């Protein structure tokens, strides 16, 4: 593929959801048409993402399908985009998840004063900006998109969320916004180093990698810390994680999928795209700090997950543990652990995205996110129980599921370099089995009770709604729900059995990243 046609693909990936968001925003008075247009736009975007994946050459240049347009020439700022193997998998996963989220939320009831057009417009806008974040190759542009990405998410949580939505939205916004401001200070520091070295400043990613990576350790450390704090908030790493449980609990299910499965990966993506290549010496010097935070996240997230009463907060703490594993894999500086961490970014998006969607389907049936309000659902909704079980097994990285290869590579790659941290992290694997099976047991087995209480005379599928004392049908998965879950189930099993296509795309970019840190271990 020529560079021009490759660039056209990336332009299309950026513009299709952006234009779609604008069109859908004007359909505020026609909710049905707004959903239909949003779904159509997202499906077209997915097709373009598939073509982009097929067109990508893992053995080619580090950044492909690239293009650049002058934006603020006086400061060397460009609208510059390009994708590597890591960006490609994250762009592909959001292109997959958005139409699934739209399909899953097709019958959802929004607040009476809010329109479906506004909601789906914000979802598409989030998609467009997030793709820009992953594809940006100008550091100032990356910062701008990093901050702008918060705006649609703020409104999605604050306008369409639960009872404490305003609190959760403000907390989400402030944590990430302040982290971004600190990152801006480091970006300006890197710009100044380029000005000293080259005679003129630059925000070009490749230029800053070349200049900053050769700077004294002290300068690298200050630049590292600014970027790291922003990424650690986004990831999120303990103790900068406290915004996530509140945001996850209050966000609508579809928004929670996009936030946890995609947006939070901007943090781990930033470690790989910016910290390791730009500040290699500081990354090695401060790796123990990140490893401690990673292990703390694995253990803390797992322990807190077991004590949750709310299913949505449960998912948040499970994800904190998973992000701890990713961080350990990245900062162990092993080819295997790095590949494992990047594939974990993808596989966590698939398995956790599916688990959140299934939890949303449970909540839609029972009207509550509290675990204690459920029991015995498997007797009423066996298909829903089966999909929930598969999603749970993928979340705990059972062999044969997609997450297994990721966790295995992280652990085996990290052990050779950081055995103590790796052994501590393996405790999280044991806890994962406990908390996932505990949740499944409480919700789907045991006596039928609470919001799933079956009227025996009415038979399976007839339930008592406790708040009104009236019979209410609790049905198994509908055809639409099976359709939206099917692609995720296929990927969970398919990648679990044959992960090679994903690993082939990831590995060359990981090797290039490790090379910039001065590490080449032949895959160990």
């Amino acid at each position: 593929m020529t560079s021009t046609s490759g660039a056209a693909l990336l332009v299309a990936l950026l513009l299709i959801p952006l234009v779609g968001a604008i069109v859908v925003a004007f359909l505020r008075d026609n909710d049905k048409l707004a959903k239909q247009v949003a779904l159509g736009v997202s499906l077209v975007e997915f097709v373009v993402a598939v073509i982009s994946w097929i067109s990508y050459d893992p053995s080619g240049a580090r950044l492909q399908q690239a293009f650049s347009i002058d934006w603020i020439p006086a400061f060397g700022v460009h609208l510059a985009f390009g994708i590597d193997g890591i960006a490609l998998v994250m762009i592909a996963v959001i292109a997959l998840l958005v139409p699934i989220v739209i399909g899953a939320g097709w019958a959802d009831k929004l607040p009476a004063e809010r329109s479906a057009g506004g909601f789906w417009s914000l979802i598409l806008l989030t998609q467009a900006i997030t793709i820009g974040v992953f594809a940006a190759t100008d550091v100032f542009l990356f910062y701008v998109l990093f901050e702008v990405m918060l705006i649609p998410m703020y409104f999605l949580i604050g306008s369409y969320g639960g009872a404490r939505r305003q609190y959760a939205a403000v907390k989400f916004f402030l944590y990430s916004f302040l982290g971004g401001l600190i990152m801006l200070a480091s970006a300006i520091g890197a710009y100044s180093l380029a000005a000293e070295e080259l005679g003129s400043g630059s925000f070009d990613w490749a230029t800053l990698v070349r200049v900053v990576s050769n700077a004294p350790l002290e300068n690298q450390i200050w630049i590292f810390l600014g970027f790291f704090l922003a990424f650690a908030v986004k990831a999120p790493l303990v103790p900068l994680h406290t915004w996530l449980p509140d945001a996850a609990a209050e966000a609508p299910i579809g928004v929670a999928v996009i936030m946890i499965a995609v947006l939070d990966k901007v943090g781990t993506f930033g470690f790989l795209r910016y910290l390791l290549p730009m500040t290699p010496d500081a990354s090695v010097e401060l790796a123990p700090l990140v490893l401690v935070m990673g292990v703390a996240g694995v253990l803390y997230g797992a322990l807190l997950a077991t004590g949750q009463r709310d299913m949505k907060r449960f998912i948040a703490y499970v994800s904190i543990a998973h992000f701890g594993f990713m961080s350990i894999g990245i900062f162990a500086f092993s080819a295997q652990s790095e590949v494992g961490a990047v594939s974990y970014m993808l596989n966590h998006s698939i398995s956790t995205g599916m688990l959140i969607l299934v939890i949303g389907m449970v909540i839609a049936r029972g009207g509550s996110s509290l675990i204690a309000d459920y029991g015995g659902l498997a007797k009423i909704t066996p298909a829903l129980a089966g999909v929930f079980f598969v999603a749970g097994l993928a979340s705990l990285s059972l062999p044969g599921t997609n997450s297994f290869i990721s966790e295995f590579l992280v652990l085996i790659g990290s052990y050779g370099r950081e055995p103590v941290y790796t052994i501590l992290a393996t405790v999280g694997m044991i806890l994962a089995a406990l908390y996932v099976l505990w949740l499944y047991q409480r919700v789907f087995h045991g006596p039928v009770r609470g919001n799933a209480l079956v009227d025996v005379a009415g038979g399976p599928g007839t339930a008592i709604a406790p708040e009104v004392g009236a019979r209410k049908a609790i049905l198994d998965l509908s055809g639409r729900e099976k359709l939206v879950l099917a692609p995720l189930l296929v990927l969970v099993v398919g990648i679990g059995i044959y992960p090679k296509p994903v690993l082939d795309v990831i590995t060359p970019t990981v090797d290039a990243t490790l090379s910039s840190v001065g590490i080449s271990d032949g895959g160990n």
Side-chain angles (χ1 to χ4, degrees):
M1 171 171 286
T2 66
S3 58
T4 302
S5 56
L9 282 174
L10 187 50
V11 170
L13 285 170
L14 292 164
L15 290 183
I16 288 171
L18 180 60
V19 174
I22 295 171
V23 172
V24 172
F26 282 100
L27 301 175
R28 299 177 65 88
D29 297 328
N30 191 330
D31 288 354
K32 182 177 180 180
L33 182 60
K35 286 188 289 188
Q36 291 172 340
V37 172
L39 179 61
V41 169
S42 66
L43 290 173
V44 171
E45 177 77 350
F46 175 70
V47 171
V48 176
V50 171
I51 297 172
S52 180
W53 182 292
I54 295 171
S55 304
Y56 182 81
D57 179 9
S59 61
R62 169 74 183 266
L63 295 174
Q64 300 181 33
Q65 303 176 18
F67 68 94
S68 178
I69 303 171
D70 285 345
W71 185 19
I72 313 175
F75 294 98
V77 179
H78 300 81
L79 295 174
F81 297 93
I83 58 173
D84 60 12
I86 302 171
L88 179 63
V89 296
M90 295 315 304
I91 290 171
V93 81
I94 192 172
L96 169 70
L97 287 177
V98 168
I100 288 175
V101 163
I102 295 173
W106 197 261
D108 289 355
K109 293 183 179 179
L110 298 173
E113 69 280 8
R114 305 295 179 184
S115 71
F119 183 81
W120 297 118
S121 175
L122 289 169
I123 290 287
L124 291 174
L125 181 59
T126 301
Q127 180 182 24
I129 298 171
T130 305
I131 290 173
V133 169
F134 288 125
T137 57
D138 181 282
V139 176
F140 185 79
L141 174 64
F142 172 81
Y143 161 74
V144 171
L145 293 173
F146 183 92
E147 297 286 46
V148 172
M149 179 175 62
L150 305 177
I151 297 173
M153 286 300 295
Y154 170 82
F155 286 108
L156 284 167
I157 298 171
S159 298
Y160 297 91
R164 299 175 71 242
R165 58 185 178 272
Q166 291 295 334
Y167 169 79
V170 169
K171 190 173 183 180
F172 159 80
F173 185 89
L174 289 179
Y175 267 65
S176 294
F177 179 72
L178 293 174
L181 288 179
I182 297 171
M183 177 175 68
L184 176 61
S186 283
I188 293 172
Y191 176 90
S192 300
L193 286 177
E196 293 177 7
E197 180 74 19
L198 305 174
S200 62
S202 175
F203 284 106
D204 175 66
W205 174 79
T207 300
L208 290 183
V209 167
R210 186 173 67 254
V211 171
V212 179
S213 63
N214 291 307
L217 176 61
E218 181 179 358
N219 291 346
Q220 285 193 32
I221 286 176
W222 284 112
I223 292 172
F224 174 98
L225 289 174
F227 279 96
F228 174 74
L229 284 172
F231 298 147
V233 168
K234 186 64 71 178
L237 296 183
V238 173
L240 304 172
H241 68 286
T242 58
W243 63 270
L244 180 59
D246 292 313
E250 301 303 325
I253 286 296
V255 177
V257 171
I258 300 299
M259 179 176 63
I260 295 175
V262 183
L263 264 64
D264 289 355
K265 303 302 190 311
V266 171
T268 47
F269 172 81
F271 293 160
L272 291 155
R273 171 64 72 84
Y274 294 95
L275 289 187
L276 270 60
M278 283 178 55
T279 59
D281 298 335
S283 296
V284 173
E285 185 75 14
L286 298 177
L289 168 66
V290 186
L291 291 170
V292 168
M293 295 174 73
V295 170
V298 171
L299 300 179
Y300 175 84
L303 288 171
L304 266 290
T306 60
Q308 292 307 303
R309 296 181 297 173
D310 185 288
M311 285 185 281
K312 294 171 76 176
R313 295 182 75 89
F314 168 86
I315 283 293
Y317 285 106
V318 169
S319 293
I320 289 169
H322 289 161
F323 278 103
F325 266 108
M326 295 176 210
S327 301
I328 292 169
I330 292 170
F331 283 88
F333 302 120
S334 153
Q336 286 180 328
S337 67
E338 298 266 353
V339 170
V342 176
S343 66
Y344 214 149
M345 290 165 59
L346 169 66
N347 289 322
H348 174 268
S349 298
I350 295 169
S351 59
T352 302
M354 181 166 68
L355 188 57
I356 297 172
L357 288 173
V358 177
I359 284 175
M361 293 170 185
V362 171
I363 294 171
R365 285 159 170 78
S368 171
S369 62
L370 296 179
I371 298 170
D373 286 340
Y374 296 91
L377 267 180
K379 300 173 184 177
I380 309 168
T381 58
L384 178 62
V387 177
F388 192 106
F389 188 61
V390 172
L393 294 180
S395 182
L396 62 84
S397 302
L398 188 79
T401 64
N402 61 324
S403 298
F404 170 73
I405 185 63
S406 304
E407 196 161 290
F408 176 76
L409 287 172
V410 168
L411 292 175
I412 197 171
S414 300
Y415 182 78
R417 293 183 179 274
E418 302 290 350
V420 175
Y421 294 111
T422 306
I423 291 171
L424 290 172
T426 56
V427 177
M429 297 176 64
I430 300 171
L431 293 173
L434 292 176
Y435 60 63
V436 169
L437 294 176
W438 171 82
L439 176 65
Y440 179 76
Q441 180 71 23
R442 290 282 303 276
V443 173
F444 288 98
H445 290 284
V448 180
R449 64 180 184 275
N451 286 22
L453 185 62
V454 172
D455 177 14
V456 177
T462 305
I464 300 297
E467 68 279 5
V468 295
R471 286 192 178 94
K472 167 187 161 185
I474 292 184
L475 303 176
D476 209 347
L477 290 177
S478 66
R480 172 180 56 82
E481 290 170 328
K482 291 176 182 177
L483 182 63
V484 298
L485 291 172
L488 298 176
L489 280 168
V490 169
L491 288 172
V492 163
V493 177
I495 296 176
I497 295 172
Y498 190 65
K500 186 177 182 297
V502 172
L503 299 182
D504 285 347
V505 168
I506 292 170
T507 302
T509 303
V510 167
D511 289 342
T513 302
L514 281 176
S515 177
S516 67
V517 189
I519 296 173
S520 178
D521 58 7
N524 298 316

